PDB file of all heavy atoms in Angstrom:
ATOM      1  N   LEU T  75      71.686 -29.691 -64.266  1.00 83.00           N
ATOM      2  CA  LEU T  75      72.595 -30.830 -64.105  1.00 83.00           C
ATOM      3  C   LEU T  75      73.352 -30.703 -62.788  1.00 83.00           C
ATOM      4  O   LEU T  75      74.063 -29.727 -62.558  1.00 83.00           O
ATOM      5  CB  LEU T  75      73.589 -30.884 -65.277  1.00 83.00           C
ATOM      6  CG  LEU T  75      74.615 -32.007 -65.225  1.00 83.00           C
ATOM      7  CD1 LEU T  75      73.925 -33.373 -65.264  1.00 83.00           C
ATOM      8  CD2 LEU T  75      75.593 -31.882 -66.378  1.00 83.00           C
ATOM      9  N   ARG T  76      73.154 -31.693 -61.916  1.00 82.00           N
ATOM     10  CA  ARG T  76      73.856 -31.697 -60.628  1.00 82.00           C
ATOM     11  C   ARG T  76      75.064 -32.603 -60.744  1.00 82.00           C
ATOM     12  O   ARG T  76      74.933 -33.775 -61.113  1.00 82.00           O
ATOM     13  CB  ARG T  76      72.903 -32.226 -59.553  1.00 82.00           C
ATOM     14  CG  ARG T  76      73.436 -32.149 -58.149  1.00 82.00           C
ATOM     15  CD  ARG T  76      72.327 -32.578 -57.180  1.00 82.00           C
ATOM     16  NE  ARG T  76      72.668 -32.313 -55.809  1.00 82.00           N
ATOM     17  CZ  ARG T  76      73.366 -33.131 -55.045  1.00 82.00           C
ATOM     18  NH1 ARG T  76      73.789 -34.283 -55.531  1.00 82.00           N
ATOM     19  NH2 ARG T  76      73.650 -32.814 -53.807  1.00 82.00           N
ATOM     20  N   GLU T  77      76.241 -32.060 -60.446  1.00 85.00           N
ATOM     21  CA  GLU T  77      77.473 -32.846 -60.555  1.00 85.00           C
ATOM     22  C   GLU T  77      78.197 -32.833 -59.207  1.00 85.00           C
ATOM     23  O   GLU T  77      79.022 -31.941 -58.941  1.00 85.00           O
ATOM     24  CB  GLU T  77      78.359 -32.279 -61.657  1.00 85.00           C
ATOM     25  CG  GLU T  77      77.725 -32.396 -63.037  1.00 85.00           C
ATOM     26  CD  GLU T  77      78.581 -31.785 -64.118  1.00 85.00           C
ATOM     27  OE1 GLU T  77      78.647 -30.548 -64.205  1.00 85.00           O
ATOM     28  OE2 GLU T  77      79.205 -32.552 -64.874  1.00 85.00           O
ATOM     29  N   PRO T  78      77.892 -33.800 -58.337  1.00 82.00           N
ATOM     30  CA  PRO T  78      78.476 -33.817 -56.995  1.00 82.00           C
ATOM     31  C   PRO T  78      79.995 -33.859 -57.011  1.00 82.00           C
ATOM     32  O   PRO T  78      80.643 -33.262 -56.151  1.00 82.00           O
ATOM     33  CB  PRO T  78      77.911 -35.098 -56.370  1.00 82.00           C
ATOM     34  CG  PRO T  78      76.727 -35.451 -57.187  1.00 82.00           C
ATOM     35  CD  PRO T  78      76.984 -34.921 -58.559  1.00 82.00           C
ATOM     36  N   GLU T  79      80.590 -34.545 -57.993  1.00 87.00           N
ATOM     37  CA  GLU T  79      82.055 -34.653 -58.021  1.00 87.00           C
ATOM     38  C   GLU T  79      82.709 -33.289 -58.262  1.00 87.00           C
ATOM     39  O   GLU T  79      83.810 -33.028 -57.790  1.00 87.00           O
ATOM     40  CB  GLU T  79      82.514 -35.700 -59.059  1.00 87.00           C
ATOM     41  CG  GLU T  79      82.184 -35.445 -60.509  1.00 87.00           C
ATOM     42  CD  GLU T  79      80.718 -35.661 -60.862  1.00 87.00           C
ATOM     43  OE1 GLU T  79      79.956 -36.238 -60.056  1.00 87.00           O
ATOM     44  OE2 GLU T  79      80.348 -35.245 -61.965  1.00 87.00           O
ATOM     45  N   LYS T  80      82.004 -32.399 -58.976  1.00 91.00           N
ATOM     46  CA  LYS T  80      82.522 -31.040 -59.197  1.00 91.00           C
ATOM     47  C   LYS T  80      81.986 -30.075 -58.152  1.00 91.00           C
ATOM     48  O   LYS T  80      82.449 -28.939 -58.044  1.00 91.00           O
ATOM     49  CB  LYS T  80      82.103 -30.537 -60.587  1.00 91.00           C
ATOM     50  CG  LYS T  80      82.912 -31.128 -61.728  1.00 91.00           C
ATOM     51  CD  LYS T  80      82.315 -30.836 -63.082  1.00 91.00           C
ATOM     52  CE  LYS T  80      82.227 -29.361 -63.385  1.00 91.00           C
ATOM     53  NZ  LYS T  80      81.570 -29.110 -64.689  1.00 91.00           N
ATOM     54  N   GLY T  81      80.969 -30.517 -57.392  1.00 89.00           N
ATOM     55  CA  GLY T  81      80.362 -29.645 -56.380  1.00 89.00           C
ATOM     56  C   GLY T  81      79.524 -28.535 -56.991  1.00 89.00           C
ATOM     57  O   GLY T  81      79.366 -27.465 -56.405  1.00 89.00           O
ATOM     58  N   THR T  82      78.970 -28.776 -58.185  1.00 90.00           N
ATOM     59  CA  THR T  82      78.229 -27.704 -58.858  1.00 90.00           C
ATOM     60  C   THR T  82      76.865 -28.170 -59.367  1.00 90.00           C
ATOM     61  O   THR T  82      76.623 -29.360 -59.570  1.00 90.00           O
ATOM     62  CB  THR T  82      79.005 -27.181 -60.085  1.00 90.00           C
ATOM     63  OG1 THR T  82      79.229 -28.281 -60.987  1.00 90.00           O
ATOM     64  CG2 THR T  82      80.327 -26.560 -59.696  1.00 90.00           C
ATOM     65  N   ILE T  83      75.993 -27.175 -59.552  1.00 88.00           N
ATOM     66  CA  ILE T  83      74.728 -27.376 -60.259  1.00 88.00           C
ATOM     67  C   ILE T  83      74.750 -26.427 -61.448  1.00 88.00           C
ATOM     68  O   ILE T  83      74.947 -25.222 -61.290  1.00 88.00           O
ATOM     69  CB  ILE T  83      73.520 -27.060 -59.364  1.00 88.00           C
ATOM     70  CG1 ILE T  83      73.468 -28.072 -58.210  1.00 88.00           C
ATOM     71  CG2 ILE T  83      72.222 -27.111 -60.162  1.00 88.00           C
ATOM     72  CD1 ILE T  83      72.413 -27.781 -57.175  1.00 88.00           C
ATOM     73  N   SER T  84      74.579 -26.987 -62.632  1.00 90.00           N
ATOM     74  CA  SER T  84      74.631 -26.171 -63.854  1.00 90.00           C
ATOM     75  C   SER T  84      73.229 -26.005 -64.424  1.00 90.00           C
ATOM     76  O   SER T  84      72.467 -26.970 -64.482  1.00 90.00           O
ATOM     77  CB  SER T  84      75.511 -26.837 -64.909  1.00 90.00           C
ATOM     78  OG  SER T  84      76.767 -27.141 -64.366  1.00 90.00           O
ATOM     79  N   TRP T  85      72.917 -24.792 -64.820  1.00 87.00           N
ATOM     80  CA  TRP T  85      71.616 -24.485 -65.415  1.00 87.00           C
ATOM     81  C   TRP T  85      71.834 -24.055 -66.856  1.00 87.00           C
ATOM     82  O   TRP T  85      72.648 -23.172 -67.118  1.00 87.00           O
ATOM     83  CB  TRP T  85      70.934 -23.333 -64.665  1.00 87.00           C
ATOM     84  CG  TRP T  85      70.687 -23.575 -63.223  1.00 87.00           C
ATOM     85  CD1 TRP T  85      71.609 -23.650 -62.228  1.00 87.00           C
ATOM     86  CD2 TRP T  85      69.414 -23.766 -62.601  1.00 87.00           C
ATOM     87  NE1 TRP T  85      70.979 -23.877 -61.026  1.00 87.00           N
ATOM     88  CE2 TRP T  85      69.637 -23.938 -61.220  1.00 87.00           C
ATOM     89  CE3 TRP T  85      68.096 -23.786 -63.082  1.00 87.00           C
ATOM     90  CZ2 TRP T  85      68.610 -24.151 -60.316  1.00 87.00           C
ATOM     91  CZ3 TRP T  85      67.072 -23.990 -62.180  1.00 87.00           C
ATOM     92  CH2 TRP T  85      67.321 -24.175 -60.824  1.00 87.00           C
ATOM     93  N   LYS T  86      71.079 -24.664 -67.769  1.00 86.00           N
ATOM     94  CA  LYS T  86      71.145 -24.245 -69.178  1.00 86.00           C
ATOM     95  C   LYS T  86      69.757 -23.789 -69.599  1.00 86.00           C
ATOM     96  O   LYS T  86      68.808 -24.579 -69.566  1.00 86.00           O
ATOM     97  CB  LYS T  86      71.606 -25.407 -70.071  1.00 86.00           C
ATOM     98  CG  LYS T  86      71.662 -25.021 -71.560  1.00 86.00           C
ATOM     99  CD  LYS T  86      71.826 -26.265 -72.444  1.00 86.00           C
ATOM    100  CE  LYS T  86      73.255 -26.724 -72.500  1.00 86.00           C
ATOM    101  NZ  LYS T  86      74.111 -25.845 -73.325  1.00 86.00           N
ATOM    102  N   LEU T  87      69.634 -22.543 -69.979  1.00 82.00           N
ATOM    103  CA  LEU T  87      68.366 -21.994 -70.464  1.00 82.00           C
ATOM    104  C   LEU T  87      68.460 -21.781 -71.964  1.00 82.00           C
ATOM    105  O   LEU T  87      69.426 -21.179 -72.438  1.00 82.00           O
ATOM    106  CB  LEU T  87      68.083 -20.629 -69.840  1.00 82.00           C
ATOM    107  CG  LEU T  87      67.379 -20.564 -68.500  1.00 82.00           C
ATOM    108  CD1 LEU T  87      68.303 -20.948 -67.382  1.00 82.00           C
ATOM    109  CD2 LEU T  87      66.844 -19.172 -68.289  1.00 82.00           C
ATOM    110  N   ILE T  88      67.480 -22.278 -72.707  1.00 83.00           N
ATOM    111  CA  ILE T  88      67.406 -21.970 -74.128  1.00 83.00           C
ATOM    112  C   ILE T  88      66.089 -21.236 -74.361  1.00 83.00           C
ATOM    113  O   ILE T  88      65.013 -21.800 -74.127  1.00 83.00           O
ATOM    114  CB  ILE T  88      67.495 -23.240 -75.000  1.00 83.00           C
ATOM    115  CG1 ILE T  88      68.801 -23.961 -74.694  1.00 83.00           C
ATOM    116  CG2 ILE T  88      67.414 -22.881 -76.479  1.00 83.00           C
ATOM    117  CD1 ILE T  88      68.964 -25.285 -75.402  1.00 83.00           C
ATOM    118  N   PHE T  89      66.174 -19.973 -74.755  1.00 82.00           N
ATOM    119  CA  PHE T  89      64.980 -19.163 -74.981  1.00 82.00           C
ATOM    120  C   PHE T  89      64.365 -19.498 -76.330  1.00 82.00           C
ATOM    121  O   PHE T  89      65.008 -20.094 -77.189  1.00 82.00           O
ATOM    122  CB  PHE T  89      65.338 -17.670 -74.906  1.00 82.00           C
ATOM    123  CG  PHE T  89      65.792 -17.245 -73.538  1.00 82.00           C
ATOM    124  CD1 PHE T  89      67.135 -17.247 -73.210  1.00 82.00           C
ATOM    125  CD2 PHE T  89      64.867 -16.871 -72.577  1.00 82.00           C
ATOM    126  CE1 PHE T  89      67.556 -16.862 -71.945  1.00 82.00           C
ATOM    127  CE2 PHE T  89      65.282 -16.488 -71.305  1.00 82.00           C
ATOM    128  CZ  PHE T  89      66.627 -16.484 -70.986  1.00 82.00           C
ATOM    129  N   ARG T  90      63.098 -19.069 -76.510  1.00 80.00           N
ATOM    130  CA  ARG T  90      62.406 -19.446 -77.745  1.00 80.00           C
ATOM    131  C   ARG T  90      62.999 -18.776 -78.977  1.00 80.00           C
ATOM    132  O   ARG T  90      62.774 -19.225 -80.086  1.00 80.00           O
ATOM    133  CB  ARG T  90      60.920 -19.139 -77.642  1.00 80.00           C
ATOM    134  CG  ARG T  90      60.590 -17.692 -77.368  1.00 80.00           C
ATOM    135  CD  ARG T  90      59.103 -17.524 -77.180  1.00 80.00           C
ATOM    136  NE  ARG T  90      58.810 -16.235 -76.589  1.00 80.00           N
ATOM    137  CZ  ARG T  90      57.608 -15.835 -76.259  1.00 80.00           C
ATOM    138  NH1 ARG T  90      56.585 -16.635 -76.450  1.00 80.00           N
ATOM    139  NH2 ARG T  90      57.399 -14.660 -75.718  1.00 80.00           N
ATOM    140  N   ASP T  91      63.775 -17.700 -78.792  1.00 85.00           N
ATOM    141  CA  ASP T  91      64.426 -17.096 -79.964  1.00 85.00           C
ATOM    142  C   ASP T  91      65.815 -17.695 -80.203  1.00 85.00           C
ATOM    143  O   ASP T  91      66.577 -17.204 -81.022  1.00 85.00           O
ATOM    144  CB  ASP T  91      64.526 -15.574 -79.796  1.00 85.00           C
ATOM    145  CG  ASP T  91      65.399 -15.177 -78.601  1.00 85.00           C
ATOM    146  OD1 ASP T  91      65.967 -16.071 -77.938  1.00 85.00           O
ATOM    147  OD2 ASP T  91      65.510 -13.969 -78.337  1.00 85.00           O
ATOM    148  N   GLY T  92      66.138 -18.759 -79.456  1.00 87.00           N
ATOM    149  CA  GLY T  92      67.390 -19.462 -79.702  1.00 87.00           C
ATOM    150  C   GLY T  92      68.535 -19.039 -78.800  1.00 87.00           C
ATOM    151  O   GLY T  92      69.573 -19.694 -78.761  1.00 87.00           O
TER     152      GLY T  92
END
Side-chain angles (χ1 to χ4, degrees):
L75 179 62
R76 186 174 190 274
E77 295 178 286
E79 63 286 347
K80 283 169 61 183
T82 58
I83 295 174
S84 307
W85 301 70
K86 179 192 279 287
L87 274 75
I88 302 175
F89 295 93
R90 58 184 165 183
D91 63 3

